[in-house]
Amino acid sequence: MEVDSGQKDRNIRHAFQLLEQAVPNSDVLVLPELWTIGYDFHNLDKNATRLGDSLISGLSSFANYHHVTLEAGTLPVEVNGKISNMGIVFGPNGEIQAQYSKRHLFYGYEESKLMVPGNSLMNTEINGVKTGMAVCYEFYFPRMWRKMAKSGVTLVLAPASWPAVHIPQWEVLTRARAIENGICVCAVNMAGEYHGLKLGGHSLFIDPTGKVEAEAGDGEEILYGEYDEIRYRDLGKQLAVIRL
């Protein structure tokens, strides 16, 4: 998704347009990191999302109407006066079935100063598949991925705002996390520009052997990847030798 920096209303309208296009061919929909604000932390208090506000209600209604699982990327969510970089999973009934707050906040920008980190991992079932979440910078933290794999997670949804200049690292790290844990990785990156910094796009769906099942270009694109439950069911056991 291409996001306009700081243009919350425009980004929300655009996201729902893309979701409407994608939903006829999807069981699960995933958006990128901080897509409402475009990684712009100016006026963060004003632009933060509150649980139960109109955006949350709209995402819930969308999931319920289309009977689809919607992982709403991440949002700057304010709870009790503190803002987290939070991913929210809406089930096909529109209810919030899981939440994950980014644990490792990026220290190269304002994120670590203005947001509070989470303290737990996510493990939720989506159509019978144990699913976890990691966000952007957290590709650099293999221990959390190993913990998810040990807990039975076989699919990780990973929304991101990864810059184009670091796409070589993105391509290596996404594959590494999949291979070393015997899991599928659905990595959904932002496109466009933020204050002159080009975002990388290149969203990926990677199987547990590191094979790229689907890959987007560097611009906005609806990407489809298929999780084959039968094919991947026992692969983790086959790779158990590398699980320490």
Side-chain angles (χ1 to χ4, degrees):
M1 176 179 172
E2 187 168 324
V3 178
D4 279 352
S5 175
Q7 301 300 312
K8 180 179 177 180
D9 291 342
R10 181 269 177 196
N11 293 331
I12 291 172
R13 289 194 300 272
H14 185 51
F16 276 95
Q17 291 169 354
L18 293 173
L19 291 171
E20 289 285 357
Q21 292 178 48
V23 74
N25 302 307
S26 305
D27 300 304
V28 183
L29 296 165
V30 186
L31 288 164
E33 180 186 19
L34 295 177
W35 53 273
T36 58
I37 60 173
Y39 211 76
D40 186 330
F41 295 108
H42 296 95
N43 301 312
L44 186 59
D45 289 340
K46 175 185 175 182
N47 288 323
T49 296
R50 276 81 184 175
L51 296 177
D53 69 9
S54 60
L55 174 58
I56 297 297
S57 297
L59 294 167
S60 170
S61 296
F62 183 94
N64 181 47
Y65 179 80
H66 293 285
H67 201 64
V68 67
T69 298
L70 171 58
E71 195 296 291
T74 71
L75 300 164
V77 177
E78 186 270 320
V79 178
N80 297 326
K82 297 180 179 180
I83 298 176
S84 300
N85 190 347
M86 184 185 292
I88 302 175
V89 179
F90 297 88
N93 61 358
E95 298 294 323
I96 294 177
Q97 75 171 59
Q99 297 171 204
Y100 172 72
S101 292
K102 188 176 181 180
R103 300 172 71 202
H104 304 91
L105 300 175
F106 185 55
Y107 281 84
Y109 193 56
E110 298 296 315
E111 182 181 26
S112 63
K113 298 177 182 178
L114 300 175
M115 295 186 171
V116 295
N119 55 17
S120 61
L121 297 172
M122 188 185 90
N123 186 335
T124 190
E125 284 202 7
I126 298 177
N127 296 336
V129 178
K130 288 190 176 181
T131 304
M133 189 181 299
V135 182
C136 198
Y137 182 51
E138 294 185 316
F139 277 108
Y140 285 102
F141 296 86
R143 281 189 178 183
M144 64 175 284
W145 294 77
R146 183 60 51 87
K147 287 180 179 179
M148 284 190 284
K150 282 188 172 183
S151 73
V153 164
T154 57
L155 169 65
V156 174
L157 309 179
S161 296
W162 201 282
V165 67
H166 295 309
I167 283 298
Q169 291 94 321
W170 166 264
E171 293 177 337
V172 171
L173 290 168
T174 51
R175 289 167 176 80
R177 298 294 87 90
I179 293 168
E180 67 194 5
N181 294 296
I183 58 177
C184 286
V185 175
C186 175
V188 180
N189 196 27
M190 198 183 296
E193 290 190 2
Y194 166 67
H195 285 238
L197 176 67
K198 183 174 174 57
L199 280 303
H202 287 280
S203 295
L204 296 160
F205 191 87
I206 302 172
D207 82 0
T209 68
K211 180 182 177 183
V212 177
E213 296 287 352
E215 181 174 9
D218 59 1
E220 181 174 273
E221 182 176 345
I222 296 175
L223 183 70
Y224 299 96
E226 183 174 350
Y227 183 97
D228 186 335
E229 183 179 8
I230 301 299
R231 179 181 175 191
Y232 301 139
R233 180 177 294 163
D234 297 321
L235 189 56
K237 295 178 182 178
Q238 297 171 28
L239 299 178
V241 66
I242 66 172
R243 291 188 179 181
L244 303 178

